[in-house]
Every structure is written in C-alpha cells, then in structure tokens.
Amino acid sequence: MLKLSATASLLAIAAFAIAPAPVWAQDSGAGGAAEGEEEIVVTAERIRGQVDTDVPPVFELDAEEIGSYGAGSIEELIEQLAPQTGSGRGRGEGRPVFLINGQRSGGFREFRRYPPEAIRKIEVLPEEVALQFGYPADQRVINIILQENFASREVEVEYGMPDRGGTGNGEIEMSQLTISGNRRLNIGMEYNTTSLLTEDERDIVQTPGSTPTVAGDPDPAAFRSLRGSSDTWEIDATLNSSLGEAPGSGTFSVNGGVEHSTGRSLSGLDVVTLTANGESAVRTIDDDPLTRRNSSTTFSLGGSIIKPLGEWMFDTTLDASRTERTTLIDRRRDTSVLQDMVDAGELAIDGPLPAIPRAGADRAESTSYAADVKSTLRGTPLMLPAGEANLTFDTGYSWNRIDSTDTRTDADDLSQTRGNLSAGVNLGLPIASAREGFLGALGELSLNLAAGVDHLSDFGTLADYTTGLSWKPTERLSLQASYIWREAAPSLSQLGDPIVTEYNVPVYDFATGQSVLATVVSGGNPNLSAETQRDIKVSANYEIDLFDRANIVVEYFRNRSDDVTQNFPLLTPAIEAAFPDRVVRDPAGNLVSIDRRPITFEGTKSSRLRYGINLFGRVGKEQPEGGSGERRERMTFAAPASQGEGQGARRPGGLDPAQMAELRQKFCATPEGETPDLSGLPERMLARLKGEDGQIDPAKVAALRERMCSADGTAPRANAERREGSGGGGGGGMRFGRGGGGGGDGQGRWNLALYHSIEFENEVLVAPGGPVLDQLSGQAFGNGVPRHKIELQGGLFYKGLGLRLSGDYQAATRIDGSGMPGSQDLFFDDIAKFNLRAFVNLEQQEWLTDGTPGFWKGSRLSFSVDNLFDAQQRVTDSSGVVPLSYQPALIDPLGRTFEIEFRKLF
C-alpha cells in the first residue's frame, strides 16, 4: 500500500519538477524600469467589469496567464482551475457562481464556448461574495472580464483512446464569437461519439453461475458493456446587446440551444441452469445480448436583462429547459420451457438449444421541464463613516415538472411538480476603513447579514440566514468568517420517483463476503424530512513576495446537519441493523433483495481544513519589442495611492490623477491616426516620444495612446496584469502588453497550485439513540471518506510551447464488516493519479512557418495523457483477495488514455 508520506512526496517532486528556477520580475529594486527600458508612470482606475466589493479575490489571472493554460474554451479553462475555484464547504452543486464583467448572466451555457483569448482577466472570489448577487454562500464566484473588442472563428478536432484499446472517443467543435463593447454574438456546435467497451476486452472475471459450462456456448462477458456507446450533437447561440443607444441604458441577452444524444449498453445474455439426473449445466441463450437503448433531446432557453435604475442596479435572469428521455430495456426471456423439455426427455442439458422468442422490451419515458427566474436589485443607499453600505434584494421563482411512465412499474403515468417562490435580502456594512479614515488602525472591516425564505409547493416553507465578517488588517492579509443556517428540502426525484424493481443486479454482501445477484428496488420516498444545516467557515488569504506573485489560502469548515436525506448507502452490517425492513434474506442468510430508496439519517457532522498555495512566475529574459537592440518603452499605470500617501502622490517622472485625467482626455478624444495636442506634456515624456531625429515619432504616440486609453478598458485586446509596486510610491500597477511566447515582454509564464485537505471528523447518526458511524474509522456507507486529499495543477508556457501537469491524491479508506463469521472488511488503497498535457502554438514555431504563418496562424496541436502512470485503486477483503465486484477494470475500465487535439482560431 502506498503510504501518505510517499505519495505526498511524489506530488511534491512533481510540483518542483514543473516549476522552473525563480525568475523575478524584471523591475529594479526600487520600482524602476528594467535595464534597456524607459518607464512612464500614470494613475488609472480599476478595470471595467471588476466586482465592486471590499473582499479581495483569492485568485486572479490576466490574459497572458490565461493563455499559458492552453485551454480551448472557458469551459475547459474552468476545469483546469478546479483546485482554485472549488469550494470546500461540502454543500451546493459544486459549480461556482459565474459573472460576466461583474454582472450576472443568463447561465453558463451563455459563454462556455468562448475562447480564452476573449478574456481580459479572471477573478475568483470567496463564497461570501455570492450573497451580493443573490446566491447562497456555498459556491465561489468567478468573474470573467472580457475584451472590449474581439472576433474569432474556431474549429477543434480531437480523438482519444485508452492504451489498452477496446474503445475510443472523438469530438468536433466549431464556434464563432464577435465582441464589440456590450454587443456579443456567439454560435457554436459540437459532436461527440464514444464506442462500446465490453467486459471480455478487460478480462473481467464473471460471477459464479453466470458463465456457460458447455463448450460452444457464447461467453456473456463479450455481451456485457463496461462503457456504452453514445453519440451526442448540440448547437447553441447567444446574443448580448444594449437596451438603447444612450450610455448606461442597460443590456440584455438571449441564448438558446438544442442537444440530442443516443446511447446503447449491453447487459449480458439470458442464462439458465439446466438439471437432469443430479447433473447440471449452465447455458447461455444464443448470442443476442440484452440491450439497453436510450435517447434524449433537450431544448434550452435563457436570457438576462441588466439595467441601472438611478443609483441602483437591477438584473433579472431566465434559465429554462425541456428534456425528453426514452429508454428501452430488453426483458429477460422465460427459460423455464427449457427445463420442462429436459424433464420430458426432449432436451439434453448439454445439447443444442432450441430458439426461444424474445420477450420484448420495457419502455421508460419521461419529459422534464425546468424554469428558473431570478431578479436582484443592488445598490448603496447609505453612507457610513467607514464607507458605503451595500444592499441587495433578490426574488425568484423556479418551476420543475417531471412526467413519466414506465412499463416496469404497476403505477399509472406519474407527474411530479414543484414550484419554489423565494425572496432574500443581503446587507453589507463597513465597520472600519483605513481608506476612509475611520478606525483606520483596524484596516478594512465589514459585516455581512443575509436572510431568505423559500416556499415549495410540494413541501412547505423553508428559511435561511447568514452572518459574516470580512477583515483586511493589512494590504496582504485578508480574513473571512461566516455562519450559515439553512433548511433544505429533498429533491423532487428523491420524493416522487416511480418504484422500479430490477432483477439479478450484482451486489457485494458484507455479511457473507460474497458478490451475489439480488433484486434491487429503487424509486422515491414521500416520507423524507427537511434537512437543517448549520455551517461555519473561517478562512485566510495571504499574499507573499515570491516569484511574480504568490498567495497562501487557508480554510476551515465545520458542518452540522439534522434529518439528512441520502440515497441508500452500501449494505454494511451497521446499515442493515439500522434499516432491517429494507433487506430480505432467505433462511440460509443469503441476500435476496434490497430496497434502495432514499432514507433520512438523524444527523451528520464533519469538519475539515483545506490549505494551499498559488505561485506565478516567468521564464526567459525580457525582450525588447521589435527584436534585440531596440529600446522598449513601457507604461505602468499605477493604482490609487496607498495608505499614508497624498491624493496626488506619484513616483518621480509620473503624473498625478488630475494630470492623468487631462492627458487621457486629449489622447482618447483624438481620432486614431491623428496626433493629439501634446502641449503641457512633461518634458521627460515628450523626450520619450521622439525618434532618433529628435522629432515626434507617430508610432510611439500611437503606442502611448493605445496603452493610455486601454486603462479604462477602451482599447481592443489589451492584456492586463496587476502587480504590487515595490517602493517609490503607488501600491500596485497595471502593465498592458501584447505578443506571443507567453507575454508581450517575450517571457514565458509558469504557475503552480497545490492544495491539501484534511478531514478531522465525519460522523453519521443513523437514528435517534444510535448507532453513530465514524466514516473515517471504517464505519462508512460509501467507499469510505479519505482523511487526506491533495490537488495539484501546474504548467509552463514559453515561446509557443506549453506543458501542464495535474494530480489528485486520496488516502486509503476501509469499510468494516460485522465481525461475525463469514463477514469481511474492505480495504481501499490510497491512489494518486496524474494527467499530462503538452501543446504547441504552431504559428510561433519558425522551423515550421519560416517567418510566414500562413495556414498555421492561430493553430495549436495538443497531446495529453490522462492517468499517466495507469494508477488503479486496489480493493481487497480481509484475506487480501479482490472481490469480484471491485475488480480494478470494473472501477476504472479505461485506465491510461491518450488524446490528440488540433485547434485553429481564425
């Protein structure tokens, strides 16, 4: 068994392997320009589209850093940012709250296909910020700031397969995006296909009694799938625009999409045991497998309206869908006629079998509807001594309906409907502020109060409230603490799904230590209760001077819940003792059937610590624009003066805010191509705008104009990077650049994120008075809860070449048997998986383009290996034997997989 210390060391070695030697920012120690550069310092406001909050981001990426990830879409980029964007609260759906330019959107579908090149900056904010936009504080907030002007057409083709073969998957994706200020148009389409993988292609050992004993009978393993075949296509479109011509008139968006998928999986062959004269033979009926065929079609519609109302901001969003699903499940044939023929002497148990007609197929159909409307009104109605108070009102209505029919049940057509009318309020109160000069010794301190109510048509009224503190005692350190009390209802399907009975389902029986074929009952349970949740979170975020920038995140979570709804867990002896009416055994103690409908536990409690570090750096020597020997001029737009500086503070040779405003007015009001009025410009700045002949160089003026006007977000394709200043005035700054090979400065980019989670407690009170199951000590009702988890994400991008490595580790777990004779414990070994991805921007490879990109312009080739070391979790019982139900290829039938991808951006 791989121990924690060994695997943690392996992760650490991998982390250092992808992190190059430190390359410090190319600034002089006193904040001056790098050698060979000239620097002009001016003052600018925050980037348009940033979230207006005093709570600092836990993670940020500028355009150049985003490019270093080599993602093909926003959806792929978010997947790579999982360690930084995931919440450790253990509540909610897991997906973060998404904002576009600091505003709510019509749903993830609206922008998921956008290429990363369209992004100017990404901010990841803590869960507490979600309250400001009408969401519960159990999901992090991702704010995506887009370029002001952008246009692209994208084609992406990929194919992948495991190194063991047997199956493959392919994808073709095309999209087009145009951004012009508030107007955005995106059209995309995608096709995915996956081929079938069967058990015989992975040498799966079959359950005793299910394999034929007569030569010539077909092997059922060749007709039982580990991975079904599927085909999916989808098309969607999004339009965003202004509500009027006047500035500040608001915006609207509308999006729609259609997705259709079909699938096919195999459930083996009909098997019969024939007996005659004390002898028996297991026979399989022909080679026509039991098949499960499914198809679904989803129609989606969404939209949003965002409009200023005086000093308030109003927004409303809609997300609606309709999904039709059809599933055909072959019935097992009645094989008793074969035994009757044996008894009548008409058939030898090992002789040729007569044809038996198929028994037809069961049909399950469902149509589900979902509509969610949510509106918020946000404003700052009060000015307190420490700053403005933020107030958010939110209201919404969600409606869900499921109409279903299933020939496997005796029930008539079933309809389930739920409407949820909700309302809430959130108030953010600044208590102390060094910026405002009130109780400045405390730094920045604010209090957050939120409350909400939900009325469910099928369940009743539920309530919630949240209190939180955000404290920033220094520029580098920020602290948050919050308490959430909330009532939650079981899902519509958990309450009302139709009762379905399935026969001959493989189940591991802990009481006997055997894998058996049992009858399993599933469906809804109308007797479930409302859950009451009580959660505490305390977190810290500290920025450190290391490489380009770095920060450490530490978070502590404590969750308590009463009346917890769960799907029926693994049938351990403790669960069977707590719910004896859910299990049927024959007189010999063999498992016959399980009722797996959802249950309500009396309570749960858990606590965990999650901490991590994010590192960002550069590789290579900073190059001047235009090649070696050419002096590169850089403009640094300094942030507002830091504490203790006057309003007009500036670095030597810089401009104060009033001068900057006047200069920007001149430059940005002058039509492009014309020379602005340079009178009043400082002599030092004028000197830098002159060419070798001593005259004003129009190219330098144009470059200065572009950089200066981009400070308020008006220049196209500006790449922004925030950095802390080091001496000489302004606290931070923004550098704007463009170019390839990692950044406009010619340097490459590298980054590393490493997070470790420690589970302190995880207990379940099954029923009043006990038993209490400690999931960290083997009394688990799933596959166990690992005490340790580690997440790794890192990469390097330089001169058009990129390499990314990700890794996940979880510690070993176990599940205790009953301790009675015949029972078995299960041991799940710890496991570490690594994924490697290499990519190359072909247009930057001179050996390929010979100085003229041509077809290769905007092209990228990627090659990835998932599960690099082919790690498979080993599960054993007390005697060290792998149970049939836990064969490695059943847990992970793919193992190591390879994928190649070609992407072209026009």
Side-chain angles (χ1 to χ4, degrees):
M1 181 183 295
L2 184 64
K3 301 300 182 183
L4 171 62
S5 58
T7 307
S9 299
L10 181 60
L11 282 165
I13 293 171
F16 282 106
I18 65 171
V23 178
W24 303 90
Q26 302 296 311
D27 297 319
S28 63
E35 184 178 356
E37 291 185 343
E38 296 290 345
E39 183 174 48
I40 303 170
V41 180
V42 292
T43 303
E45 302 299 324
R46 66 166 62 216
I47 296 177
R48 177 186 176 188
Q50 287 187 278
V51 176
D52 186 11
T53 177
D54 289 331
V55 181
V58 297
F59 181 76
E60 292 179 289
L61 290 176
D62 65 23
E64 293 170 353
E65 291 164 339
I66 291 170
S68 71
Y69 282 78
S73 65
I74 287 180
E75 187 171 27
E76 291 182 13
L77 178 63
I78 297 304
E79 290 176 0
Q80 295 191 42
L81 297 179
Q84 296 94 337
T85 60
S87 174
R89 279 195 183 276
R91 308 286 193 187
E93 300 177 352
R95 174 170 285 178
V97 173
F98 288 97
L99 307 176
I100 297 293
N101 295 332
Q103 304 290 341
R104 293 172 58 225
S105 69
F108 188 61
R109 179 179 61 252
E110 185 174 295
F111 54 85
R112 67 186 179 96
R113 294 190 192 278
Y114 285 14
E117 290 86 349
I119 304 174
R120 182 177 180 183
K121 188 175 186 179
I122 282 184
E123 299 175 309
V124 179
L125 298 117
E127 294 88 338
E128 290 76 9
V129 177
L131 295 167
Q132 185 175 328
F133 296 90
Y135 297 97
D138 56 14
Q139 306 160 78
R140 282 193 170 167
V141 176
I142 299 179
N143 182 34
I144 300 172
I145 303 173
L146 300 174
Q147 303 283 4
E148 275 290 302
N149 295 280
F150 181 85
S152 72
R153 288 171 294 169
E154 180 183 5
V155 177
E156 187 174 304
V157 181
E158 63 182 63
Y159 179 78
M161 64 180 296
D163 65 348
R164 294 181 177 88
T167 183
N169 59 275
E171 177 183 330
I172 300 175
E173 184 175 358
M174 294 178 287
S175 66
Q176 178 173 324
L177 172 65
T178 302
I179 302 177
S180 180
N182 289 329
R183 183 175 178 83
R184 305 194 298 272
L185 177 63
N186 179 231
I187 301 174
M189 59 189 69
E190 181 177 343
Y191 172 74
N192 290 274
T193 183
T194 300
S195 61
L196 191 75
L197 177 67
T198 56
E199 291 187 356
D200 69 320
E201 294 174 297
R202 292 294 183 266
D203 298 326
I204 298 297
V205 179
Q206 301 298 299
T207 303
S210 67
T211 56
T213 57
V214 176
D217 280 6
D219 182 1
F223 302 95
R224 185 176 292 114
S225 56
L226 292 169
R227 183 193 199 191
S229 62
S230 64
D231 291 277
T232 302
W233 63 263
E234 54 186 299
I235 182 171
D236 49 54
T238 301
L239 172 66
N240 302 71
S241 192
S242 299
L243 287 171
E245 297 296 331
S249 58
T251 63
F252 76 92
S253 72
V254 60
N255 67 79
V258 180
E259 178 180 345
H260 179 74
S261 65
T262 58
R264 176 176 174 267
S265 59
L266 306 180
S267 302
L269 300 171
D270 284 309
V271 179
V272 61
T273 301
L274 301 179
T275 303
N277 303 320
E279 296 183 356
S280 63
V282 178
R283 307 297 304 274
T284 50
I285 313 300
D286 60 44
D287 58 356
D288 190 5
L290 297 166
T291 305
R292 184 185 186 101
R293 297 166 293 276
N294 59 77
S295 66
S296 68
T297 304
T298 300
F299 302 90
S300 303
L301 178 68
S304 65
I305 295 176
I306 303 173
K307 184 173 179 60
L309 298 177
E311 297 297 319
W312 295 77
M313 180 63 72
F314 170 80
D315 62 60
T316 185
T317 58
L318 166 68
D319 191 3
S321 65
R322 180 181 188 270
T323 301
E324 301 171 349
R325 294 186 178 89
T326 300
T327 304
L328 299 176
I329 309 103
D330 285 349
R331 297 191 184 111
R332 293 186 178 273
R333 285 173 278 196
D334 182 5
T335 57
S336 61
V337 63
L338 297 178
Q339 184 62 51
D340 293 340
M341 294 176 67
V342 170
D343 294 340
E346 301 173 359
L347 177 67
I349 61 173
D350 58 354
L353 298 178
I356 299 179
R358 300 301 301 261
D362 286 304
R363 186 182 186 92
E365 294 182 337
S366 69
T367 303
S368 59
Y369 307 85
D372 189 356
V373 179
K374 191 175 188 64
S375 301
T376 65
L377 184 64
R378 295 178 286 118
T380 53
L382 299 175
M383 174 57 77
L384 301 178
E388 293 180 323
N390 294 299
L391 183 61
T392 301
F393 297 98
D394 70 87
T395 183
Y397 183 75
S398 63
W399 182 78
N400 297 84
R401 180 181 175 87
I402 303 175
D403 297 327
S404 61
T405 180
D406 195 325
T407 58
R408 294 173 296 176
T409 70
D410 296 328
D412 296 328
D413 294 355
L414 179 68
S415 292
Q416 306 171 69
T417 304
R418 169 177 289 179
N420 181 9
L421 181 63
S422 62
V425 61
N426 175 67
L427 178 63
L429 299 172
I431 297 173
S433 174
R435 184 178 60 250
E436 298 293 338
F438 182 75
L439 301 178
L442 295 177
E444 307 293 328
L445 178 65
S446 61
L447 172 68
N448 194 277
L449 304 171
V453 62
D454 293 78
H455 180 73
L456 280 61
S457 60
D458 65 325
F459 202 80
T461 301
L462 307 172
D464 66 85
Y465 69 84
T466 302
T467 60
L469 278 174
S470 179
W471 183 27
K472 193 174 182 182
T474 71
E475 284 297 315
R476 296 180 180 273
L477 176 64
S478 60
L479 307 169
Q480 282 89 35
S482 62
Y483 175 78
I484 300 175
W485 181 91
R486 182 169 62 184
E487 295 175 313
S491 69
L492 193 59
S493 60
Q494 287 176 324
L495 290 168
D497 269 1
I499 307 300
V500 176
T501 301
E502 295 185 83
Y503 302 95
N504 298 319
V505 178
V507 176
Y508 182 77
D509 185 3
F510 282 84
T512 63
Q514 301 293 323
S515 293
V516 300
L517 298 176
T519 299
V520 174
V521 178
S522 60
N525 181 359
N527 300 317
L528 300 173
S529 303
E531 178 179 348
T532 302
Q533 303 172 354
R534 302 176 304 279
D535 298 344
I536 293 175
K537 175 199 170 187
V538 180
S539 66
N541 182 11
Y542 186 69
E543 299 178 3
I544 55 180
D545 279 329
L546 189 62
F547 305 110
D548 230 17
R549 72 177 193 276
N551 70 304
I552 297 174
V553 179
V554 181
E555 300 172 309
Y556 170 78
F557 304 93
R558 196 205 72 168
N559 297 351
R560 299 289 185 268
S561 295
D562 298 326
D563 299 322
V564 181
T565 294
Q566 293 275 1
N567 293 325
F568 198 81
L570 287 176
L571 186 63
T572 62
I575 293 297
E576 184 173 355
F579 300 95
D581 57 330
R582 294 294 190 100
V583 181
V584 176
R585 295 184 179 274
D586 64 18
N590 298 311
L591 181 64
V592 175
S593 68
I594 308 174
D595 183 350
R596 281 183 170 172
R597 290 177 296 164
I599 56 178
T600 298
F601 290 120
E602 182 68 16
T604 63
K605 62 179 181 178
S606 64
S607 62
R608 70 197 66 85
L609 179 72
R610 185 174 188 262
Y611 63 94
I613 186 169
N614 300 300
L615 302 172
F616 294 87
R618 304 174 184 236
V619 293
K621 185 177 181 180
E622 189 170 12
Q623 298 295 326
E625 293 180 351
S628 60
E630 181 178 320
R631 188 175 67 176
R632 176 177 178 268
E633 295 191 2
R634 180 181 66 180
M635 290 198 70
T636 300
F637 293 88
S642 60
Q643 181 182 352
E645 295 177 328
Q647 191 65 25
R650 64 187 184 193
R651 291 165 67 180
L655 300 172
D656 63 30
Q659 290 174 310
M660 177 58 197
E662 181 181 355
L663 184 61
R664 185 185 291 119
Q665 175 78 22
K666 289 181 179 181
F667 272 70
C668 300
T670 303
E672 194 167 349
E674 298 183 12
T675 301
D677 179 12
L678 301 179
S679 61
L681 207 62
E683 286 298 327
R684 180 173 177 177
M685 186 177 291
L686 277 173
R688 293 173 184 172
L689 295 176
K690 295 179 180 179
E692 294 181 359
D693 58 359
Q695 302 300 314
I696 296 296
D697 185 344
K700 293 186 177 183
V701 173
L704 177 59
R705 179 189 181 281
E706 180 183 7
R707 292 188 174 98
M708 185 175 298
C709 295
S710 67
D712 60 3
T714 61
R717 302 181 67 85
N719 296 331
E721 176 189 345
R722 177 170 182 152
R723 67 187 178 112
E724 293 294 328
S726 53
M734 297 214 178
R735 289 189 305 189
F736 291 80
R738 60 172 87 225
D745 52 14
Q747 292 181 289
R749 301 290 193 269
W750 66 267
N751 58 75
L752 175 68
L754 187 62
Y755 283 77
H756 179 205
S757 298
I758 307 173
E759 199 83 12
F760 293 133
E761 64 174 344
N762 195 306
E763 296 181 351
V764 178
L765 177 60
V766 176
V772 176
L773 305 182
D774 184 354
Q775 297 203 82
L776 295 175
S777 299
Q779 298 169 327
F781 53 79
N783 288 344
V785 176
R787 188 175 293 274
H788 296 275
K789 290 183 178 180
I790 299 176
E791 300 170 275
L792 166 71
Q793 278 278 0
L796 168 68
F797 182 64
Y798 185 46
K799 292 185 177 181
L801 301 175
L803 187 68
R804 296 206 60 80
L805 177 70
S806 63
D808 292 281
Y809 165 84
Q810 68 174 35
T813 61
R814 80 172 192 272
I815 303 176
D816 292 342
S818 65
M820 300 176 62
S823 69
Q824 294 279 355
D825 296 343
L826 280 185
F827 300 89
F828 296 77
D829 284 3
D830 59 354
I831 183 170
K833 289 186 177 183
F834 294 89
N835 303 321
L836 182 67
R837 180 169 178 264
F839 60 96
V840 53
N841 288 351
L842 299 176
E843 69 174 305
Q844 294 179 246
Q845 308 311 308
E846 294 186 3
W847 59 269
L848 180 66
T849 64
D850 196 23
T852 305
F855 170 79
W856 305 113
K857 183 176 177 62
S859 299
R860 183 175 69 218
L861 184 67
S862 304
F863 181 76
S864 60
V865 185
D866 289 343
N867 197 359
L868 181 63
F869 301 111
D870 197 21
Q872 292 187 310
Q873 188 171 46
R874 180 176 169 81
V875 183
T876 57
D877 59 22
S878 301
S879 59
V881 176
V882 177
L884 293 182
S885 298
Y886 290 94
Q887 296 175 70
L890 286 176
I891 299 174
D892 179 12
L894 298 183
R896 179 168 47 228
T897 60
F898 299 95
E899 185 173 271
I900 188 169
E901 173 191 296
F902 178 76
R903 174 181 185 254
K904 182 168 176 60
L905 199 67
F906 298 89

